[in-house]
Amino acid sequence: MKETVDQHELESRILKFLADENLKELGHEIQDVAPEDIVLIIERLTAKQRAIVFRLLHKDEALEVFEALDPSVQSDLVRTLRETEVAEIFEGLDPDDRVWLLDELPATLAPKLLHGLSERERRLTAVVLGYPQDSVGRRMTPEYVTTRMDYTVADTMERLRDRIEDAETIYLLPVLDDARHVAGVVSLRDLIAADPDTVIASIMNEAQSVQASDDAERAARKLTEAGFVAIPVVDRERRLVGLLTFDDAMRIIEHEESEDSARQGGVEPLRRPYFATPIMQLVRSRVVWLLVLAVGATLTVQVLDVFEDTLAKVTVLALFVPLLIGTGGNTGNQAATTVTRALALGDVRARDIARVLGREARVGLMLGLMLGMLGFVIAGLVYGWDLGAVIGLTLVAICTVAATIGGIMPLIARWVKVDPAVFSNPFISTFVDASGLIIYFLIARAILGI
């Protein structure tokens, strides 16, 4: 039984052995380390170091470690391993995991790897590869065990034992009719609890399924929210073509949420672990967004230029600019993040734009009233009640506008078929900065008479 170890100490020892080129001690060091710990270490090493550590693993452990690696790291390893090693590992992967890897590999390498597969594995992989990139069919497993309504529990258990080595999961079995339509599902728990002579039709449950052409993220969320271990994947005629398992669903969700998180922060998703990402790729993932936001920020400069005379007459107004645009940006970002998350979970749809606009306008107004009252009192006591009124009213207006815009931007993005995360935080901050300053100076002119 392998035990987990202190990650920092393990990494330090492995790096020392690599630096000393002491492969014998390195092999001993990783021999009793759990695969999940090896995965964490490998994803922090350079490409050359990864290949060395991976080659020192035992055959069975090497496959287990490879399957757990991020597909981008798998792709890097494939480029550094010998052809025979790659072919052996590729053959040992499940078809859906194989497709994750193929999506990361150069187009010239993929056919060569597929050609080296056995006929059965090539056929199963081709089934998964035949579906669109972002569909659930691309992420399902074609290796499963089925039963039929007129089979007994004993028949099903015998069938399960015969096929257990080839199935990715045995905890949920689709129940088929004569036309391979999904009539229901039965769990391994129900099979074990039932009498051997019981007919499957009497213990099966109603089946929820997803179409192979459905969006992979939506299918994954449907599975996880329902708490299933797997869900049948069917074609348009409801014939079974595969299963989406819980672990693959979590992998899909993690992948999608990583993309959304990156884009909300104004960077392109890395699609690979941080330490496995080349420096230039980190630069490229950030520079485009910085340029776009820098251009957008010129709007703020233009607004300040237009109201230069107002600032010159009441210089104290400049003190509150960072506070106001910061509050507006934060309010808009909060609304955008909330609605983007609701979109991902299916709680909100693009057609709900009017309802979301109304709700976020009310939320923004209430937040603005609370912050505005505080701003009015503090600014009024220090700089006079006229200026306090300007700050208070501006906070009310900015919070209302920012929450409204932040709430509807993701919905507009979904409606025009653009990633909602792209439309959210960075662009909202830029828009609210400019509009907030216009609101601020217009209110100041009206109240202060300048």
Side-chain angles (χ1 to χ4, degrees), residues 71 90 93-105 114 124-131 133 137-140:
F90 198 64
L93 294 174
D94 292 324
D96 52 325
D97 292 331
R98 205 175 283 137
V99 171
W100 275 98
L101 173 57
L102 288 173
D103 288 341
E104 293 289 335
L105 290 173
L114 285 170
L124 290 173
T125 305
V127 169
V128 181
L129 276 172
Y131 292 98
Q133 186 80 30
R138 190 84 167 192
R139 303 299 173 219
M140 70 181 184

Side-chain angles (χ1 to χ4, degrees), residues 324-343:
L324 296 174
I325 63 177
T327 300
N330 290 336
T331 304
N333 292 341
Q334 287 177 337
T337 300
T338 302
V339 175
T340 299
R341 177 68 175 166
L343 272 171

Side-chain angles (χ1 to χ4, degrees), residues 396-418:
V396 172
I398 284 180
C399 286
T400 304
V401 170
T404 303
I405 296 300
I408 64 172
M409 275 285 193
L411 297 173
I412 293 172
R414 177 62 61 85
W415 185 62
V416 298
K417 302 187 185 304
V418 175

Side-chain angles (χ1 to χ4, degrees), residues 182-340:
V182 178
V185 293
V186 61
S187 69
L188 180 61
R189 179 189 180 94
D190 291 337
L191 289 173
I192 294 173
D195 186 272
D197 296 326
T198 303
V199 177
I200 293 298
S202 65
I203 62 169
M204 72 180 188
N205 299 308
E206 183 181 354
Q208 292 193 41
S209 61
V210 292
Q211 281 199 19
S213 57
D214 288 349
D215 179 75
E217 182 183 2
R218 293 183 186 178
R221 293 196 182 278
K222 180 177 180 178
L223 184 155
T224 55
E225 288 168 8
F228 298 147
V229 295
I231 192 169
V233 181
V234 299
D235 61 15
R236 293 181 180 179
E237 284 75 41
R238 281 191 58 80
R239 289 191 295 265
L240 183 70
V241 293
L243 285 179
L244 178 66
T245 58
F246 182 82
D247 59 328
D248 285 329
M250 292 303 297
R251 191 177 182 184
I252 292 166
I253 292 172
E254 180 183 0
H255 178 79
E256 294 296 332
E257 289 188 344
S258 295
E259 285 193 352
D260 290 347
S261 176
R263 285 175 175 152
Q264 285 174 359
V267 298
E268 278 299 304
L270 297 178
R271 304 183 189 280
R272 57 173 57 224
Y274 177 81
F275 284 109
T277 306
I279 294 295
M280 284 310 299
Q281 186 173 339
L282 288 172
V283 173
R284 286 195 299 270
S285 72
R286 302 178 190 181
V287 67
V288 174
W289 289 98
L290 285 175
L291 290 172
V292 170
L293 294 175
V295 172
T298 58
L299 290 173
T300 304
V301 176
Q302 293 298 318
V303 172
L304 288 171
D305 185 55
V306 169
F307 290 96
E308 184 179 4
D309 292 340
T310 303
L311 279 173
K313 292 177 182 176
V314 186
T315 55
V316 73
L317 290 174
L319 298 177
F320 292 92
V321 168
L323 166 69
L324 296 174
I325 63 177
T327 300
N330 290 336
T331 304
N333 292 341
Q334 287 177 337
T337 300
T338 302
V339 175
T340 299

Side-chain angles (χ1 to χ4, degrees), residues 328-329 332-333 336 402 405-406 409-410 423-433:
N333 292 341
I405 296 300
M409 275 285 193
F423 263 62
S424 54
N425 298 6
F427 284 107
I428 289 170
S429 294
T430 302
F431 174 81
V432 171
D433 287 354

